[in-house]
Amino acid sequence: DSGVTQTPKHLITATGQRVTLRCSPRSGDLSVYWYQQSLDQGLQFLIQYYNGEERAKGNILERFSAQQFPDLHSELNLSSLELGDSALYFCASSVGLAGDYNEQFFGPGTRLTVL
Amino acid sequence: AQSVTQLDSQVPVFEEAPVELRCNYSSSVSVYLFWYVQYPNQGLQLLLKYLSGSTLVESINGFEAEFNKSQTSFHLRKPSVHISDTAEYFCANHHPVQYNNDMRFGAGTRLTVKP
C-alpha cells in the first residue's frame, strides 16, 4: 500500500459525459501528479500540482483539467468524453518538487471506461 | 527533448533463468532514470533508481540496473527470475524542475516467467 488513495476504482460512463477522479496523496506529500495509461499511448504524464499550484503540464487535453485543494487532495476532471479516453488514470504523490527528485508513490488507479 | 525506448514489448523466460530488460534514453540534459514494476491490477511501484554516483543500482528483490552514459542505456537485469516476477516493467526518465519537470515512461516490457 503506497498510501495514495484514488476513488472511484472503476467508472463506466457514456461519450459526451463529464467525470471527476479523486486522489488523496500520502500524508505530508505536497505534490500530486496525474498520469494516463492506455493501450495505444502507454503511460503518459498529464499534470503536476504542488501545494495547490500547477507546476508542470504534460500531454493533457484541453477537455481535461485538474486542481489541488487546500487539504492537498486533487481532482482530475474529464469532460466531453470520447471512446479514446478509456484508460487507467493514476495519481502519484511526492514530498515536494521533483527538482531534486523526490520519489513518486503511485495510487492503485481509476479505470475509466467510456461506452 | 527526451524519450525512453524499451526495446522489447514482451519477454518470456523460464523460472530461474537470467533476464535482461532493455531501456535506452535520449536526452541532452542531466537525467534521472528509474525502473517501475506494475503487477496485475495494481499501480506502479518503484523498483530502483539512478540519480547520480555509482552507475550500478540494485533493488531489494535481486534486480539491478546499470547506467551507461556512452550507450545511453539503463538495462534491468536479474540473474535468476521467479514466477512472482511476472509483471510489466517500465523504464522512466525524469527531468528536474528547470527542464519542465516531467516524467517520461517507456512503453513497458511484459515479463512472463514460466515454470
Side-chain angles (χ1 to χ4, degrees), chain B residues 81-98:
Chain B
V81 293
H82 302 290
I83 299 285
S84 59
D85 292 325
T86 294
E88 185 114 22
Y89 292 79
F90 293 91
C91 182
N93 169 310
H94 175 263
H95 282 183
V97 168
Q98 62 268 37

Side-chain angles (χ1 to χ4, degrees), chain B residues 9 14 16 18 22 26 29 38-40 47 59 65 85 98 104-105 109-110 114:
Chain B
S9 60
F14 287 104
E16 297 183 6
R22 297 178 293 167
S26 169
V29 300
Q38 184 179 25
Y39 297 104
L47 194 58
S59 72
D85 292 325
Q98 62 268 37
R104 299 287 179 98
F105 286 86
T109 297
R110 183 170 298 279
K114 299 179 283 188

Side-chain angles (χ1 to χ4, degrees), chain B residues 13-68:
Chain B
V13 294
F14 287 104
E15 194 174 17
E16 297 183 6
V19 71
E20 178 180 79
L21 308 184
R22 297 178 293 167
C23 172
N24 285 95
Y25 69 92
S26 169
S27 174
S28 59
V29 300
S30 297
V31 297
Y32 298 155
L33 293 163
F34 310 89
W35 277 99
Y36 282 84
V37 58
Q38 184 179 25
Y39 297 104
N41 301 313
Q42 294 187 29
L44 279 76
Q45 300 173 38
L46 180 66
L47 194 58
L48 44 75
K49 64 190 177 199
Y50 171 77
L51 304 181
S52 65
S54 173
T55 57
L56 185 66
V57 290
E58 299 177 349
S59 72
I60 57 173
N61 57 353
F63 283 94
E64 65 178 29
E66 186 163 19
F67 171 64
N68 188 320

Side-chain angles (χ1 to χ4, degrees), chain A residues 29-110:
Chain A
D29 284 359
L30 298 178
S31 272
V32 170
Y33 311 77
W34 287 98
Y35 295 86
Q36 179 195 59
Q37 185 179 31
S38 62
L39 284 175
D40 55 343
Q41 306 227 26
L43 191 59
Q44 291 194 96
F45 167 69
L46 296 179
I47 197 164
Q48 180 207 0
Y49 278 81
Y50 172 75
N51 205 21
E53 292 186 5
E54 182 185 306
R55 281 290 179 157
K57 222 167 184 176
N59 297 322
I60 187 166
L61 300 172
E62 285 191 11
R63 299 184 284 109
F64 296 0
S65 65
Q67 53 184 327
Q68 186 179 28
F69 294 87
D71 67 351
L72 301 176
H73 90 271
S74 177
E75 293 181 355
L76 179 67
N77 300 296
L78 316 176
S79 61
S80 302
L81 285 168
E82 301 175 359
L83 295 177
D85 297 327
S86 296
L88 196 52
Y89 291 84
F90 286 109
C91 167
S93 74
S94 70
V95 169
L97 292 176
D100 294 323
Y101 191 68
N102 304 125
E103 180 177 343
Q104 295 183 25
F105 293 85
F106 282 77
T110 292

